[in-house]
Structure formats: structure tokens, C-alpha cells
């Protein structure tokens, strides 16, 4: 269960990311477990992705389109 990931993590956001990355939980199930808004789970995952890919800038244009820009260094 998600409790396993909470015990293994140092904070809520790490638990969210670990549960999500395990592939065993949807954003909806994580949202329900923590009783937080689905946008908080989505933002937590997005922020982690941006930290692991510092050369990429992601901009959501609409529900259907996301643009990915590569930063010039």
C-alpha cells in the first residue's frame, strides 16, 4: 500500500513520487490516500521531472497539448 512508501520516504512529496514511480498507483489513488487535490499530486510529479531533466522546459498549452522546449546553454 501507499503506507509502505510513506515509511520509506522522508516527506510527503517523496512518498508521492516513490508511489507514482513504482507504477502501482495512479494519480487518483495517491490523491485519495493523502486527501489532497489532484493538482498537488500532478505538480509534485511535474516538479520532480523538471529537476531530473534540467535542460527541458515543459509548458502545458491546453488539456491536450504540451510543448517541450530544450534550453540553450
Amino acid at each position: 500500500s501507499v503506507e509502505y512508501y510513506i515509511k520509506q520516504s522522508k516527506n510527503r512529496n517523496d512518498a508521492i513520487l516513490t508511489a507514482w514511480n513504482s507504477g502501482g498507483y495512479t494519480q487518483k489513488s495517491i490523491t485519495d490516500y493523502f486527501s489532497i487535490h489532484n493538482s498537488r499530486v500532478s505538480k509534485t510529479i511535474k516538479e520532480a521531472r523538471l529537476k531530473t531533466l534540467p535542460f527541458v522546459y515543459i509548458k502545458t498549452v491546453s488539456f491536450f497539448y504540451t510543448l517541450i522546449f530544450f534550453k540553450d546553454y
Side-chain angles (χ1 to χ4, degrees):
S1 77
V2 176
E3 266 187 54
Y4 170 80
Y5 298 106
I6 292 171
K7 291 177 184 176
Q8 301 297 320
S9 303
K10 54 188 171 189
N11 59 45
R12 184 190 72 187
N13 287 353
D14 284 346
I16 289 169
L17 291 171
T18 307
W20 169 253
N21 287 329
S22 75
Y25 301 93
T26 63
Q27 287 187 26
K28 173 74 171 128
S29 63
I30 295 169
T31 296
D32 292 343
Y33 183 85
F34 285 102
S35 299
I36 56 178
H37 197 269
N38 61 340
S39 67
R40 181 70 263 157
V41 172
S42 179
K43 286 178 185 177
T44 300
I45 293 168
K46 182 178 178 179
E47 288 168 3
R49 285 182 181 163
L50 290 176
K51 285 180 183 176
T52 59
L53 296 172
F55 58 90
V56 174
Y57 171 70
I58 300 173
K59 177 163 176 65
T60 302
V61 178
S62 72
F63 180 77
F64 296 106
Y65 297 102
T66 299
L67 300 177
I68 299 174
F69 302 95
F70 292 91
K71 296 178 183 176
D72 272 336
Y73 286 103

